[in-house]
Amino acid sequence: MQALVLQRAGELAVAEVETPQPRRDDVLVRVRHSGICGTDLKIFTGAVPVTYPLIMGHEMAGDVVSGGDGLVTPGQRVLVDPVLFCGTCVDCRAGRTNLCANGGIIGREVNGGFAEFVTAPRTHVHVLPDAIDTRSAPAIQVLTTCLHAQRRAAVGSGQSVAVVGLGVSGQLHAQLARARGAALVIGLSRSAWKRQVAERLGAHLTSSSGDAAVAAVRNATGGHGADVVIECTGHMKALADAIAMVRPGGTIVLFGIYTDREAALPFYQLYFKEPTIVSARAARPEDFPESIALVAGGAISISPLITHTVPVTQLREALAMLEDDVDGRMKIILEH
Ligand SMILES: [Zn+2]
Ligand SMILES: [Zn+2]
């Protein structure tokens, strides 16, 4: 089969490789569409260490070819859950499969979806209802990670929720908070275009970032601060803003991926406000059916977030597009 093979950091080639052979309990999937995100860019540049050669790609949808032992049938359209786990360790037995030390991600620890075919355990393929096409389905993988985070933070009915950063995951967080019953969802971004998208998709109000964001959240909450602040940028300055805008006793969700080792943060406020700090990594099996249902039922719109569709052979160019944050670009989907 044809695949996009990462030979070493920064070196990507279209290559002919052996089609993966599904082992017992595996399903062979013909990939139709895949998504790219910041994780792929970090693997590509070498910032995330992997073993080479590697076929990246962890957001993928396609058609079942074979395998699955009756759970799925050939021709069915499926979304692949890329989070592998052993099922027997102490974390897995406690339901924390996303933290399994023996696990990994399809497209990071094992070959992924930037290829004609991919294999996944039969428990990791989820049938897509007719209402969801394979072109937008890869974005549901991102939604599962948002759902995992909001479950951990117990985002729910009547709450005020501020979302810092309105890229793909921020847009999904804003919609998801509203779908879970939040009474006030505030989207925060320096991009007027992203704010407009968030307003169209369900944020009650939006504001620019930085001091303006802190002021907007305080104003909208009677000076008290938001019940939950979901920080999606991974930038320390934005985290400092999140600490400033959460209410006393509220919750801050660390959703962005932080790589800084030191930063200027209002530590006294962290003590004084006594917020709960929740971090979240990847997703768990139960997040897939619920995310698919939220999209199929119309509670969450993913199609408006897909702004670019490019041939999979242009993966390199697509990754380069991720490097600059420009208005008009949200999710990039690869067509296979
Ligand atoms: Zn991703
Ligand atoms: Zn495990």
Side-chain angles (χ1 to χ4, degrees):
M1 67 168 183
Q2 219 180 48
L4 277 291
V5 180
L6 187 66
Q7 312 282 10
R8 59 183 65 81
E11 202 182 309
L12 204 58
V14 180
E16 195 60 38
V17 299
E18 237 175 278
T19 301
Q21 292 302 309
R23 287 172 310 184
R24 221 181 99 80
D25 292 339
D26 278 358
V27 178
L28 181 67
V29 175
R30 165 84 173 85
V31 184
R32 294 294 175 195
H33 291 95
S34 57
I36 57 169
C37 75
T39 299
D40 300 305
L41 183 60
K42 285 185 178 133
I43 296 171
F44 173 72
T45 60
V48 168
V50 294
T51 306
Y52 307 106
L54 174 75
I55 302 169
M56 301 185 290
H58 58 274
E59 306 171 2
M60 60 227 136
D63 309 324
V64 172
V65 177
S66 63
D69 233 1
L71 267 189
V72 285
T73 52
Q76 270 185 318
R77 298 170 326 109
V78 292
L79 174 67
V80 177
D81 172 357
V83 187
L84 302 173
F85 53 88
C86 75
T88 54
C89 73
V90 62
D91 286 305
C92 283
R93 279 184 283 130
R96 298 184 297 265
T97 49
N98 58 316
L99 304 183
C100 175
N102 311 314
I105 304 280
I106 296 176
R108 195 181 65 194
E109 276 74 28
V110 301
N111 283 335
F114 299 151
E116 279 182 75
F117 300 94
V118 70
T119 56
R122 63 177 182 167
T123 48
H124 283 55
V125 293
H126 299 272
V127 175
L128 290 167
D130 291 342
I132 303 174
D133 57 16
T134 57
R135 179 172 168 267
S136 50
I140 299 177
Q141 191 275 332
V142 187
L143 179 59
T144 64
T145 64
C146 299
L147 179 56
H148 171 64
Q150 292 203 17
R151 281 193 216 266
R152 278 179 52 71
V155 172
S157 195
Q159 291 179 333
S160 54
V161 178
V163 179
V164 183
L166 294 173
V168 177
S169 53
Q171 300 284 349
L172 291 170
H173 269 300
Q175 292 188 63
L176 180 60
R178 188 147 181 176
R180 290 170 70 86
L184 175 64
V185 176
I186 310 169
L188 304 162
S189 168
R190 65 182 168 193
S191 158
W193 178 74
K194 288 180 180 174
R195 295 199 299 270
Q196 225 170 55
V197 174
E199 280 166 20
R200 215 171 53 230
L201 294 178
H204 294 97
L205 68 105
T206 63
S207 165
S208 190
S209 56
D211 293 345
V214 176
V217 171
R218 286 207 181 126
N219 284 340
T221 55
H224 199 50
D227 295 317
V228 182
V229 181
I230 304 173
E231 203 302 293
C232 300
T233 71
H235 293 132
M236 286 294 157
K237 174 68 180 77
L239 180 55
D241 292 342
I243 295 167
M245 66 178 72
V246 73
R247 73 161 163 81
T251 300
I252 298 170
V253 181
L254 308 182
F255 190 81
I257 296 172
Y258 306 91
T259 48
D260 295 79
R261 301 178 71 105
E262 50 187 82
L265 289 173
F267 291 105
Y268 186 73
Q269 279 193 56
L270 265 183
Y271 154 74
F272 200 78
K273 285 183 155 181
E274 201 184 53
T276 300
I277 310 271
V278 170
S279 88
R281 166 152 70 95
R284 294 178 185 170
E286 62 266 29
D287 298 312
F288 275 78
E290 188 171 335
S291 294
I292 290 170
L294 282 163
V295 172
I300 291 179
S301 307
I302 47 174
S303 310
L305 301 179
I306 291 154
T307 53
H308 293 73
T309 306
V310 301
V312 65
T313 46
Q314 285 174 25
L315 173 59
R316 220 211 132 113
E317 291 81 350
L319 287 169
M321 285 164 75
L322 282 185
E323 282 179 284
D324 350 86
D325 189 11
V326 291
D327 282 354
R329 181 184 61 67
M330 202 62 80
K331 191 77 186 160
I332 303 170
I333 294 291
L334 304 172
E335 198 153 40
H336 294 237

